[in-house]
Amino acid sequence: MKIAIVGAGIGGLSAAVGLQKAGAQVTVFERAAEVRAGGSGLSVFANGLRALQSLGLGPQFAAITDKKAESFAAGQRRPDGRWIARLPTDSVGELRIVDRADLHRILLDALDEGTVRTNAFVTSASIAGTVTVGPGPQENFDLVIGADGLNSQVRETIKSGIGPRYSGYSSWRGITERPVDLDGAAGETVGRGLRFGIAPLKDERVYWFAVANMPQHASFADEKAAVRDLFSSWHAPIAELIATTPSDRIRRTAISDLATPLATYHRGRVVLLGDAAHAMTPNLGQGGGQALEDAATLTALLAPVIADSSGPVSPADSVSSAGTSTSAGGVDVQLRRYDRLRKRRSQSIAAKSRILGAVFQMQSPFLSGIRDAIFSAAPAKVTAAQAASVQKWHPPSA
């Protein structure tokens, strides 16, 4: 079974690993000259861990992370450092923070040599399973997976004209070049229209992010100076985190999600995963987790179809009594199931993340004060239940 994956991000590479292990002939098309991750961290909660384990990547991932969340106080604080609310440790105990570059490395190492084709810009895909790379000829596949992000080209095959929607705020991200003492605390500090997040990495360096309300196309002559000016008066060690991050490793991103939820994630022999299907704001830390869930779900559902394959999946083939033969019907049945399993959950999380972002980015002193009071008054068991509901996921059986 020949599968094309468009995009070599976390979701695309994870799907490639799972489907290749299942026996598919996988080609990953990446438009960039090289596969590399941005210089930032990634939060992987319990659901993401289960997805990685189901893809056979549990040991590799464990080697690049540790259980710091179990020993750190986390939650929301005021700019002066006073706690607004603390998260129960058992609600984030399985959280792992990873350098995206390390995660990309273990994903690439798990793939056969030559799986990823760089400088390969897919300009179009068809529901028949063809892709066109640049000005070249069409290439035929049994399945095309669009993992090409927020501005997905493959998504046009499913539904044209749906693109990103700016949230009203942008985020700087960075990783310190040396260890910084966090004094046993992590989490987010929330102000008025401003927010700062802190997450320790395995090697004692720190991943941080800073969020500010601004026009989508705001411009700064010096990004590091801009974030320093906004946050240097906030509690320690925020100023130190900014100071110990090289200027060329601080990147700002306009935070956007998908303007309109898709009615379906697949059409014909094209299916979407990750941001291409359900781009979301990062306020719940679930963008990467949902992409990993997508990859693990596709792998679990398609593995028996791939295992039964003895050649190309022809539309002339018929469905087996089990519904998982090498037939077009077998693939289509599983793609419809993927759509049912993934659409409701991922779109619900995207909606919750957008609402949470709007609450955190309140600029009014009055409204932000009410927000802080509500968070302070919320019982710990309610906070834990909300966190658990997002992380409650297991890969499906085939």
Side-chain angles (χ1 to χ4, degrees):
M1 186 173 177
K2 291 179 62 180
I3 298 177
I5 299 177
V6 183
I10 290 170
L13 292 178
S14 298
V17 171
L19 293 169
Q20 193 171 80
K21 286 184 176 182
Q25 181 182 332
V26 178
T27 302
V28 179
F29 296 94
E30 170 55 43
R31 65 183 299 176
E34 60 179 327
V35 180
R36 61 180 181 179
S40 68
L42 179 71
S43 302
V44 180
F45 290 86
N47 54 311
L49 291 176
R50 294 187 196 102
L52 286 163
Q53 289 161 0
S54 74
L55 292 167
L57 293 165
Q60 295 95 317
F61 187 73
I64 60 172
T65 60
D66 62 15
K67 300 180 179 181
K68 285 187 182 297
E70 295 180 354
S71 59
F72 274 75
Q76 289 79 39
R77 289 194 277 182
R78 295 181 175 88
D80 63 7
R82 290 179 298 159
W83 288 98
I84 299 171
R86 294 199 190 199
L87 288 172
T89 304
D90 58 359
S91 68
V92 293
E94 293 186 81
L95 170 63
R96 304 291 180 268
I97 308 297
V98 62
D99 188 325
R100 286 176 183 265
D102 290 338
L103 180 54
H104 264 72
R105 175 176 51 77
I106 66 170
L107 293 173
L108 289 169
D109 287 348
L111 291 171
D112 294 342
E113 187 177 351
T115 298
V116 181
R117 286 170 51 180
T118 54
N119 285 317
F121 177 38
V122 172
T123 56
S124 66
S126 78
I127 60 173
T130 64
V131 298
T132 302
V133 181
Q138 287 186 339
E139 298 184 37
N140 298 313
F141 295 89
D142 299 310
L143 179 65
V144 177
I145 299 173
D148 49 341
L150 177 63
N151 296 298
S152 170
Q153 186 67 38
V154 178
R155 188 169 59 234
E156 291 294 302
T157 305
I158 306 293
K159 177 68 175 178
S160 64
I162 295 181
R165 166 182 56 183
Y166 182 56
S167 64
Y169 47 90
S170 296
S171 177
W172 291 273
R173 296 181 174 94
I175 296 177
T176 62
E177 64 178 351
R178 63 170 174 80
V180 175
D181 182 12
L182 298 180
D183 195 24
E188 289 185 308
T189 302
V190 185
R192 298 197 300 270
L194 297 170
R195 194 172 11 142
F196 199 97
I198 300 172
L201 296 171
K202 181 179 181 180
D203 59 5
E204 305 299 333
R205 292 179 303 149
V206 180
Y207 161 57
W208 60 266
F209 61 86
V211 188
N213 295 347
M214 67 181 71
Q216 181 174 2
H217 301 293
S219 177
F220 300 95
D222 185 331
E223 297 288 353
K224 182 171 182 175
V227 69
R228 183 185 61 226
D229 292 345
L230 286 171
F231 295 96
S232 60
S233 64
W234 287 28
H235 67 80
I238 289 176
E240 184 182 359
L241 296 176
I242 298 168
T244 56
T245 304
S247 296
D248 61 354
R249 297 182 188 175
I250 297 176
R251 294 179 174 85
R252 179 168 53 93
T253 304
I255 302 300
S256 301
D257 60 5
L258 208 58
T260 304
L262 294 173
T264 180
Y265 289 172
H266 94 98
R267 183 180 174 211
R269 288 311 177 84
V270 176
V271 65
L272 303 176
L273 66 74
D275 284 352
H278 45 66
M280 60 186 68
T281 58
N283 302 296
L284 285 171
Q286 280 291 325
Q290 292 306 298
L292 290 171
E293 286 186 21
D294 291 345
T297 300
L298 267 180
T299 297
L301 298 181
L302 292 176
V305 183
I306 296 167
D308 287 346
S309 295
S310 57
V313 184
S314 167
D317 292 338
S318 59
V319 186
S320 72
S321 59
T324 58
S325 71
T326 62
S327 68
V331 175
D332 293 340
V333 165
Q334 300 296 34
L335 292 181
R336 288 195 295 271
R337 188 175 174 205
Y338 168 82
D339 191 56
R340 289 195 302 271
L341 289 171
R342 297 303 308 144
K343 187 172 64 179
R344 181 176 179 179
R345 173 169 165 79
S346 59
Q347 290 180 354
S348 172
I349 290 174
K352 291 176 182 177
S353 185
R354 184 172 181 83
I355 292 170
L356 188 61
V359 170
F360 277 144
Q361 293 302 126
M362 286 177 173
Q363 205 147 356
S364 160
F366 175 71
L367 292 177
S368 59
I370 292 176
R371 172 201 65 203
D372 293 352
I374 291 173
F375 276 106
S376 295
K381 64 180 181 180
V382 173
T383 306
Q386 288 293 325
S389 68
V390 174
Q391 300 176 57
K392 188 177 181 180
W393 177 86
H394 294 275
S397 62

